[in-house]
Amino acid sequence: QVQLVESGGGLVQPGGSLRLSCAGSGSIFSINDMAWYRQAPGKQRELVASITSGGGTHYADSVKGRFTISRDNSKNTVYLQMNSLKPEDTAVYYCNAEIYQYFGANSSPAWGQGTQVTVSS
């Protein structure tokens, strides 16, 4: 059916950078909004950043000025460039997309499996 596969997580020191990628595959006609969420241990999943099909973006206050979301519609891929990372950015990061599987279909949400980001010295 539809798969979202994330990559790019890892261990980084405070102040460092990482770039996450999430590629969609399978039965995809087009993709509407795409987003990155994160969930830290003991906390609820929260929206980090989102991007519309036209490129409009939204960021959580905690990441504004440090993170940049972008997408390549030709590759069904969304990216999250994370700079000036802080220990409080440590979490599992999930990508999300509203997917149309065929022309005229209603969109349905899809989630990636998550990728761990750890910011620690």
Side-chain angles (χ1 to χ4, degrees):
Q1 304 296 341
V2 174
Q3 268 195 315
L4 296 179
V5 179
E6 297 126 338
S7 59
L11 172 65
V12 64
Q13 291 187 341
S17 298
L18 282 174
R19 189 192 194 211
L20 305 183
S21 299
C22 172
S25 63
S27 181
I28 298 174
F29 174 73
S30 65
I31 302 178
N32 195 3
D33 293 354
M34 304 183 83
W36 288 96
Y37 288 75
R38 67 185 180 188
Q39 187 166 19
K43 294 189 176 182
Q44 287 190 331
R45 190 173 296 189
E46 63 174 356
L47 176 66
V48 176
S50 64
I51 184 167
T52 68
S53 57
T57 58
H58 168 80
Y59 296 94
D61 287 344
S62 59
V63 306
K64 279 181 183 176
R66 300 189 297 122
F67 291 11
T68 302
I69 189 170
S70 60
R71 63 190 286 173
D72 184 336
N73 292 330
S74 68
K75 297 180 180 178
N76 293 329
T77 298
V78 63
Y79 305 96
L80 187 67
Q81 178 66 43
M82 304 185 294
N83 298 328
S84 303
L85 282 160
K86 305 175 181 180
E88 50 264 44
D89 294 317
T90 295
V92 177
Y93 284 70
Y94 299 89
C95 69
N96 166 266
E98 288 290 325
I99 293 176
Y100 297 95
Q101 289 192 267
Y102 54 88
F103 179 77
N106 293 323
S107 67
S108 56
W111 290 90
Q113 81 285 359
T115 185
Q116 177 70 45
V117 171
T118 302
V119 185
S120 174
S121 55

